[in-house]
Amino acid sequence: MTKIKQLPESVANQISAGEVVERPASVVKELLENSIDAGSKNILIEIEEGGREKIRVKDDGSGIPADEMELAFSRYATSKIEEINDLYSIKTLGFRGEALASISSVSNVVIKSRTAGELQGIKMELKGGSVLGQVPVGIPAGTDIEVTGLFYNTPARYKYLKKVNTEFAHISKIVTREALAYPDIKFTLIHNHKEVYKTPGTGKLIDAVYTLYGSEIASNLTPIDYEDRYIRLTGLIGNQTISRSSRIYEVFFVNKRVVNSRTLSQGVEEAYHGVLPARKYPVVFLNVVLNQILIDVNVHPTKREVKFSRDGIIKDVLKKGISKTLQTKDLIPKIKKKHLSPKKERLSLINDNKLKQGIEDSESKEYQENFKGDFIRNNYKEKTADMPPRLNKYRKQTAVKENLKLCKVSEEKDSLENNKPFNKNIDKDNNNDLVINNFLGQLYNTYLVTEGSDGLIIIDQHNAHERILYEKIRNKFADEQINTQALLLPVRIDFTAEEIELVKKYLTDLKRLGFNIDFFGGNSILVQGVPSFLKNRPIKVIVEEIVDSILKKGKTGNKSDLLDQVIKYMSCRGAIKAGKHLAEKEIDELIKGLIKASNPYRCPHGRPIIVNISLDDIKRGLGRK
Ligand code: ADP
Ligand code: MG
């Protein structure tokens, strides 16, 4: 048996350092927190190679007295708390006295620091936690700490470092969040000698948001200031026009500490329920100020998670405060959905442009509404007697139009009957057993009713097209690249520094998917071209959502899963929508495409594409069986 031995201190430090120092971003976070705690007004963060080469944080804060320098790097040395009771009234970001010890145990550190009261500063060098030497230096008051060779002595951890862009994205996220929490401090972030951003330090959150997230987000935010049961909420919340498909734009500060919290997310999301589309998350930058006694910060070594002793109350206050702000600021659109959608549907039933024009020309809005409403109700039941004469004219035209449509359908039916069913018309290279003999009609501008080998087959036009596009894009993507259609007007999109890194990282893949992207300086891109099937779609939203989904999945999932997910999303966005009237040619292509598909039964997201009403069911229903 091996004897029990005490581990050398540097080894002990390394073991628990894993909790604090996971990756370069954790170093940046700890150093930033120290600079903030020191009352700095300017903080410079200089990174090389995603932090693998160098992390430097320079501040103009209080500085470390020369005679305490060495102590600052020993474990559990802190100036921030003295006894256990202080833990309940923590006002500073740090308090464990672990960070400098942990960081220096896995890297080389050069620190220079001077307090305002000292004439000269001190420079100290450490390697793997051991002090190599100290010399006096002349520097401005503040602290300048440089960490190089991170994890040089812990190869296992070094191996787990991700690519430069990934590590830098983590760093940028940390700096962004601290810059939002402290808008009165000027943060300058530099990567590989290039300035990524510099916050203005005006003390106004909106100014920081503008710098970090761009004008689109900044101009769709409204201030919140709400207090209830000793909990105060301040900050900025997004209106219903901006939303994201992940929680990454839900940013919370509890007593100025950046935190993640399910309780807070839930409160916010409940308030936005019904305001944003399903599965969309709001953009909020929310400061929650409450009595320290209600929080337990000491739960997680990285201090990111908070636990509240009164979860329910805090959630409730958030929900109320945000709902109230959304309502009083008139951020919820007045038009009720109920009003809007039937009107849209009605219009889409009337396909003839001239006819539409006629309606628009008619004097009375009321007439229009009556007419359109009646058109729906009387589509199959002529009831013209009580209609105003002028409208009768349109009624007749409409009826003729409908007849024409029916004729055409029956023409097609004839030709199909004369020839062969759809299946035999095309060289089917897949073994699916879908048989469609005849197209019968489009129902509610959404479903294609067809005759199958056994009864009716009803096809959902959107789901079907989504499946066809998905298979097409996948096949094309596998061999070459998807055709790009240049946009007449390029679309500019502002991203965060973290997102822009992802765009850079996935640029080749995005190109192969048909997106032609130029960088526009700062964190903006110009989309110059898109896959042709997306050209009339909301490009900005689509690209943002693709980046969002990469951001969400990119860290955990593997790349081919991720790209598959993006292709599914693109197929859904590019597919014909429900409620759209289709021309014969489109219907023909759709049905042929579906018959050819390797799986004509489910859309790539798993929703059914067709329902079959068997001949037996029809017979039974009509009393023939
Ligand atoms: P903690 O922040 O938990 O106290 P650290 O290991 O991060 O522990 O820092 C140890 C001590 O070093 C701090 O308590 C503080 O007194 C001093 N210190 C560290 N960084 C700075 C800085 N940038 N400016 C002034 N003092 C600092
Ligand atoms: Mg600290």
Side-chain angles (χ1 to χ4, degrees):
M1 271 228 301
T2 351
K3 270 194 194 156
I4 298 174
K5 278 185 277 181
Q6 191 177 26
L7 290 167
E9 204 184 314
S10 63
V11 178
N13 274 341
Q14 281 178 27
I15 292 168
S16 57
E19 294 174 343
V20 181
V21 188
E22 276 173 282
R23 60 187 339 151
S26 353
V27 174
V28 173
K29 177 175 171 286
E30 294 296 334
L31 298 182
L32 274 186
E33 289 190 349
N34 282 348
S35 296
I36 295 167
D37 282 345
S40 311
K41 287 282 152 239
N42 288 282
I43 304 177
L44 170 77
I45 305 103
E46 224 181 86
I47 306 296
E48 277 174 34
E49 300 303 319
R52 286 158 166 259
E53 289 289 319
K54 185 170 111 178
I55 297 166
R56 177 184 177 205
V57 174
K58 180 172 177 263
D59 67 45
D60 57 356
S62 62
I64 304 172
D67 56 352
E68 289 175 23
M69 187 63 111
E70 207 169 328
L71 193 63
F73 282 82
S74 60
R75 202 158 177 76
Y76 306 124
T78 174
S79 57
K80 298 171 191 174
I81 54 172
E82 281 173 10
E83 52 164 330
I84 195 72
N85 280 335
D86 291 345
L87 271 176
Y88 296 98
S89 55
I90 295 159
K91 296 235 166 51
T92 49
L93 296 172
F95 53 84
R96 292 162 185 273
E98 278 179 309
L100 291 185
S102 302
I103 293 166
S104 63
S105 73
V106 291
S107 66
N108 304 319
V109 172
V110 177
I111 182 169
K112 294 180 230 166
S113 192
R114 178 169 80 81
T115 61
E118 290 168 312
L119 288 177
Q120 58 179 10
I122 185 138
K123 174 178 164 187
M124 186 167 94
E125 267 187 69
L126 300 97
K127 191 176 173 67
S130 314
V131 178
L132 299 181
Q134 290 188 27
V135 285
V137 279
I139 52 156
T143 303
D144 184 352
I145 176 162
E146 201 176 287
V147 176
T148 51
L150 184 63
F151 301 141
Y152 80 96
N153 55 353
T154 49
R157 199 158 301 141
Y158 184 83
K159 219 179 73 191
Y160 280 103
L161 281 179
K162 297 280 185 315
K163 288 201 187 110
V164 167
N165 285 345
T166 312
E167 292 302 343
F168 182 71
H170 284 285
I171 291 174
S172 167
K173 184 173 168 185
I174 295 282
V175 182
T176 297
R177 302 214 155 180
E178 295 299 344
L180 289 167
Y182 293 88
D184 49 332
I185 300 177
K186 281 186 192 159
F187 290 81
T188 308
L189 176 63
I190 291 174
H191 189 211
N192 289 342
H193 312 288
K194 270 197 266 171
E195 184 178 299
V196 181
Y197 52 70
K198 181 177 192 158
T199 62
T202 56
K204 290 191 191 126
L205 178 60
I206 188 75
D207 294 341
V209 170
Y210 189 92
T211 307
L212 299 164
Y213 293 90
S215 59
E216 203 226 340
I217 289 212
S219 57
N220 279 300
L221 295 170
T222 206
I224 178 171
D225 195 344
Y226 180 83
E227 192 167 343
D228 184 11
R229 282 167 278 183
Y230 308 105
I231 299 166
R232 171 127 188 250
L233 305 178
T234 60
L236 297 164
I237 63 173
N239 62 26
Q240 86 288 352
T241 59
I242 46 170
S243 62
R244 290 288 160 143
S245 49
S246 76
R247 292 200 168 88
I248 110 148
Y249 282 63
E250 289 179 10
V251 183
F252 299 111
F253 312 103
V254 171
N255 294 354
K256 292 222 123 193
R257 185 186 295 278
V258 182
V259 296
N260 296 328
S261 154
R262 268 194 70 71
T263 307
L264 300 182
S265 283
Q266 280 170 354
V268 166
E269 284 159 26
E270 282 176 22
Y272 274 93
H273 188 78
V275 176
L276 298 180
R279 290 187 300 278
K280 286 288 184 185
Y281 299 95
V283 175
V284 296
F285 305 101
L286 208 59
N287 296 302
V288 183
V289 180
L290 41 70
N291 192 322
Q292 201 67 37
I293 215 93
L294 291 173
I295 326 172
D296 178 9
V297 268
N298 199 11
V299 262
H300 194 264
T302 60
K303 297 167 279 181
R304 273 282 178 241
E305 301 283 337
V306 274
K307 242 175 43 194
F308 299 105
S309 50
R310 299 275 176 85
D311 268 51
I313 294 179
I314 290 168
K315 195 164 112 183
D316 194 50
V317 170
L318 248 79
K319 191 176 160 186
K320 282 203 182 122
I322 290 177
S323 296
K324 200 169 155 231
T325 310
L326 285 172
Q327 277 154 16
T328 53
K329 299 285 176 184
D330 235 12
L331 296 176
I332 301 172
K334 283 266 157 21
I335 313 156
K336 285 191 190 124
K337 267 208 169 137
K338 248 187 164 176
H339 254 94
L340 205 68
S341 58
K343 194 170 154 193
K344 262 198 190 156
E345 245 169 56
R346 286 167 202 175
L347 272 175
S348 66
L349 271 169
I350 305 162
N351 303 305
D352 189 316
N353 272 337
K354 247 199 204 151
L355 196 62
K356 262 194 219 164
Q357 194 56 48
I359 294 164
E360 272 148 27
D361 287 345
S362 79
E363 317 94 330
S364 149
K365 276 253 149 54
E366 226 171 285
Y367 269 18
Q368 292 180 22
E369 284 307 318
N370 282 339
F371 167 74
K372 283 182 264 167
D374 279 332
F375 175 69
I376 304 285
R377 282 195 290 280
N378 297 314
N379 217 352
Y380 297 100
K381 223 203 282 168
E382 273 296 274
K383 195 179 89 188
T384 49
D386 51 5
M387 292 292 290
R390 189 189 156 99
L391 293 178
N392 248 340
K393 191 174 96 197
Y394 296 120
R395 162 66 46 73
K396 277 189 193 125
Q397 282 187 17
T398 318
V400 171
K401 175 83 186 156
E402 281 305 297
N403 284 340
L404 276 175
K405 199 170 154 192
L406 284 174
C407 284
K408 277 188 186 160
V409 169
S410 58
E411 256 171 44
E412 183 172 34
K413 196 172 148 188
D414 277 353
S415 67
L416 282 169
E417 269 167 0
N418 292 341
N419 296 316
K420 309 129 228 169
F422 267 101
N423 274 5
K424 294 173 196 155
N425 268 343
I426 55 171
D427 32 333
K428 196 168 171 183
D429 41 19
N430 278 304
N431 302 332
N432 81 59
D433 50 5
L434 180 65
V435 174
I436 289 170
N437 295 327
N438 271 327
F439 168 66
L440 302 174
Q442 190 187 12
L443 197 61
Y444 301 117
N445 284 339
T446 299
Y447 310 104
L448 307 180
V449 185
T450 64
E451 182 195 299
S453 54
D454 175 24
L456 282 178
I457 289 179
I458 302 171
I459 303 169
D460 182 304
Q461 64 190 40
H462 171 77
N463 292 357
H465 195 212
E466 190 177 332
R467 158 60 61 182
I468 296 166
L469 270 180
Y470 171 71
E471 293 191 4
K472 234 194 218 157
I473 306 172
R474 264 194 76 111
N475 291 341
K476 197 112 200 268
F477 186 74
D479 318 332
E480 44 182 326
Q481 86 164 46
I482 316 261
N483 296 339
T484 299
Q485 170 114 22
L487 293 172
L488 273 178
L489 292 173
V491 176
R492 181 190 156 150
I493 309 178
D494 301 327
F495 283 114
T496 63
E498 184 186 6
E499 289 165 338
I500 206 85
E501 288 308 324
L502 271 189
V503 177
K504 283 181 191 157
K505 183 171 163 196
Y506 285 90
L507 193 63
T508 10
D509 298 301
L510 288 169
K511 206 172 164 60
R512 269 182 73 205
L513 285 167
F515 292 95
N516 187 356
I517 289 170
D518 278 348
F519 292 93
F520 192 58
N523 294 332
S524 303
I525 61 166
L526 271 189
V527 182
Q528 305 273 17
V530 295
S532 45
F533 56 89
L534 290 178
K535 70 170 187 287
N536 295 322
R537 301 288 197 267
I539 307 297
K540 187 159 181 295
V541 176
I542 292 174
V543 175
E544 279 174 354
E545 294 205 327
I546 289 176
V547 173
D548 262 4
S549 72
I550 297 178
L551 200 58
K552 240 189 332 187
K553 283 270 158 69
K555 290 168 193 156
T556 46
N558 74 27
K559 189 160 161 183
S560 71
D561 284 353
L562 179 72
L563 291 173
D564 188 54
Q565 195 194 324
V566 172
I567 292 174
K568 279 180 186 159
Y569 172 75
M570 286 165 61
S571 323
C572 181
R573 277 299 196 161
I576 293 166
K577 291 195 180 122
K580 183 175 184 284
H581 175 80
L582 299 182
E584 274 167 71
K585 201 170 150 256
E586 293 174 289
I587 292 171
D588 199 53
E589 270 175 20
L590 204 59
I591 294 179
K592 283 181 178 163
L594 192 63
I595 292 170
K596 270 190 171 180
S598 65
N599 177 358
Y601 301 106
R602 297 255 166 202
C603 88
H605 290 109
R607 287 186 308 270
I609 293 173
I610 63 177
V611 278
N612 184 198
I613 303 171
S614 72
L615 201 52
D616 262 2
D617 281 348
I618 295 172
K619 282 183 183 162
R620 219 172 278 126
L622 296 170
R624 287 189 179 270
K625 217 176 173 179

